[in-house]
Amino acid sequence: MASQLDNSVYTRIDDITQRILAGGEMSADEGRWMIRLDDDYLPWLMASADRIRKTFRGNEIEVCAIANVRSGNCSENCSFCSQSGHHKTQAPAYDYIPADELVAQAKKAREWGASDFGVVSKGWGVRSDKEEGKLEEYFAALDDGSDIGRCASLGALTKDSAGKLKAMGMENYHHNLECAESFFDQVCTTHTYQENIDTINHARDAGLRVCAGGILGMGESLDQRIEMAETLRQLQVESVPLNFLSPVLGTPMGTRTPMSPQEILRAIATYRFMLPQAEIRIAGGRQFLGDMQSMIFMAGASGVMIGDYLTTKGRGVEDDLKMIKDLKLDVRGNTQQRRQQDSTEAA
Ligand code: SF4
């Protein structure tokens, strides 16, 4: 039997799209409506999100990669994370990898076309001389050995540690909110949501580009997905990584049901409407899209993480690059341009 489609839904999507293209915003109420739309309306929603992406982010896709430089036995109890020392998982545990190994990974990522490379360490901030010394060594080695953008994800920052990392040569700081504030007590109790917000503000104040998003599918409500988007909008985050929970056995979220492809695509599209100018980059959990992975860009994503994730394997890099090429999108390789722009602005 034919579906009963409601014309007013199409009209409302179009009206919101026009407002955003004219420089306006989508309200949180509209976001809560949009993220609940039936699958029937998903193609229309995606077409509109695609138009917003093209208008504000162009035809280029930003590609980044990460290295997990220190893994396992983390002091924090994040419920989704296989690296937490509070959960019993099979995640690898090791101390800092050698700097030359890191540079080799960064060079490989640059060859793939990645514009940015993240140094990711378990733990909650840069707290000891040992950590500081190691990061200094890493950033000096990356500066000498590669022209790739230097990012890091190291947990909470203080004003002091943000300044020190900037002085070491770090350019971007990644720190996820993880979820909405109203859901955070289900995710972590060893640190606070306010510490996440303070970290983002300290990074920005130190002159670092901020990359902050979260993980969807942890059991939060649809309203809480919009709540996180609103917080990111208020914080004026430029780059928003979206992950979709990959349940890991042994963690408190190990038996959650992964999001469906349609739910993932609707969330990406709604985030594009909420954050029209942001770099929305898709990271962990892409595998749940199955054969629909290339649709992330039509749903409004403008970036993607390639290679392996922290403790899970990514899709083949060749497949990802071919996917971007087949869609007639370009990989953005703008690290040098960005640095020149920064030094011009600073002069
Ligand atoms: S998400 Fe980060 S801080 Fe939380 S347990 Fe995992 S490694 Fe530690």
Side-chain angles (χ1 to χ4, degrees):
M1 203 169 89
S3 299
Q4 290 296 312
L5 298 173
D6 180 350
N7 277 333
S8 71
V9 172
Y10 294 96
T11 307
R12 193 171 181 193
I13 293 172
D14 289 348
D15 287 348
I16 298 169
T17 305
Q18 290 302 334
R19 190 193 319 144
I20 290 172
L21 293 176
E25 280 194 346
M26 177 163 84
S27 70
D29 273 347
E30 288 168 330
R32 288 186 277 271
W33 167 80
M34 187 172 279
I35 207 162
R36 288 182 163 80
L37 286 176
D38 285 350
D39 289 349
D40 282 338
Y41 302 103
L42 186 56
W44 197 261
L45 184 63
M46 286 170 57
S48 302
D50 189 52
R51 190 170 171 200
I52 296 170
R53 172 187 65 77
K54 281 199 173 91
T55 301
F56 292 108
R57 303 305 311 172
N59 210 39
E60 292 181 329
I61 298 301
E62 193 158 296
V63 168
C64 64
I66 57 169
N68 192 7
V69 298
R70 188 173 62 150
S71 175
N73 292 325
C74 181
S75 58
E76 306 306 294
N77 68 354
C78 307
S79 306
F80 58 84
C81 183
S82 63
Q83 295 194 67
S84 168
H86 298 252
H87 319 317
K88 285 200 169 39
T89 71
Q90 302 295 314
Y94 53 84
D95 207 350
Y96 288 112
I97 61 171
D100 55 357
E101 198 178 305
L102 181 73
V103 171
Q105 288 190 45
K107 282 187 171 163
K108 198 160 61 166
R110 189 74 187 107
E111 282 164 23
W112 293 336
S115 59
D116 296 282
F117 181 71
V119 174
V120 184
S121 169
K122 65 95 185 265
W124 196 234
V126 185
R127 294 181 167 180
S128 68
D129 290 348
K130 178 191 163 193
E131 289 168 313
E132 225 173 274
K134 201 70 204 175
L135 291 164
E136 206 156 7
E137 184 192 346
Y138 279 167
F139 287 118
L142 285 173
D143 200 12
D144 284 352
S146 170
D147 66 344
I148 202 161
R150 296 178 292 273
C151 313
S153 184
L154 311 164
L157 292 184
T158 59
K159 189 168 184 266
D160 185 50
S161 58
K164 280 183 180 163
L165 288 164
K166 167 83 175 162
M168 286 177 198
M170 189 176 77
E171 296 166 291
N172 312 318
Y173 198 68
H174 166 266
H175 188 81
N176 275 345
L177 290 174
E178 311 301 7
C179 60
E181 184 168 15
S182 62
F183 188 69
F184 194 67
D185 62 353
Q186 310 279 311
V187 173
C188 183
T189 56
T190 48
H191 55 262
T192 66
Y193 202 76
Q194 189 58 45
E195 284 176 80
N196 291 336
I197 290 178
D198 291 346
T199 296
I200 290 169
N201 286 328
H202 289 320
R204 179 175 305 102
D205 291 348
L208 298 163
R209 277 200 179 74
V210 174
C211 182
I215 306 170
L216 305 184
M218 294 195 289
E220 75 284 352
S221 67
L222 295 176
D223 284 0
Q224 284 166 326
R225 289 180 191 166
I226 300 302
E227 184 187 331
M228 181 170 83
E230 259 202 296
T231 307
L232 292 165
R233 182 154 76 182
Q234 282 156 10
L235 290 167
Q236 298 182 338
V237 172
E238 300 165 86
S239 168
V240 175
L242 289 182
N243 300 269
F244 311 101
L245 181 75
S246 297
V248 177
L249 281 180
T251 67
M253 294 187 176
T255 54
R256 291 264 196 280
T257 305
M259 290 168 71
S260 71
Q262 288 77 8
E263 196 182 2
I264 291 175
L265 293 170
R266 191 162 34 249
I268 296 171
T270 305
Y271 265 66
R272 173 52 68 202
F273 274 82
M274 288 292 291
L275 301 157
Q277 313 230 8
E279 200 76 87
I280 295 180
R281 60 180 84 231
I282 307 305
R286 253 198 296 147
Q287 69 274 20
F288 300 120
L289 285 157
D291 290 339
M292 296 159 84
Q293 289 217 25
S294 63
M295 290 190 182
I296 57 174
F297 304 116
M298 289 172 244
S302 57
V304 68
M305 185 188 286
I306 58 170
D308 293 337
Y309 306 118
L310 289 178
T311 57
T312 53
K313 285 268 169 217
R315 201 166 87 128
V317 170
E318 294 76 20
D319 290 340
D320 280 340
L321 296 177
K322 183 173 182 307
M323 170 175 77
I324 294 170
K325 194 167 166 229
D326 287 350
L327 289 164
K328 296 202 184 319
L329 297 166
D330 300 317
V331 171
R332 183 173 301 145
N334 63 356
T335 312
Q336 296 301 347
Q337 285 167 15
R338 229 170 46 193
R339 284 181 188 149
Q340 274 166 11
Q341 196 183 337
D342 285 351
S343 58
T344 313
E345 281 168 9

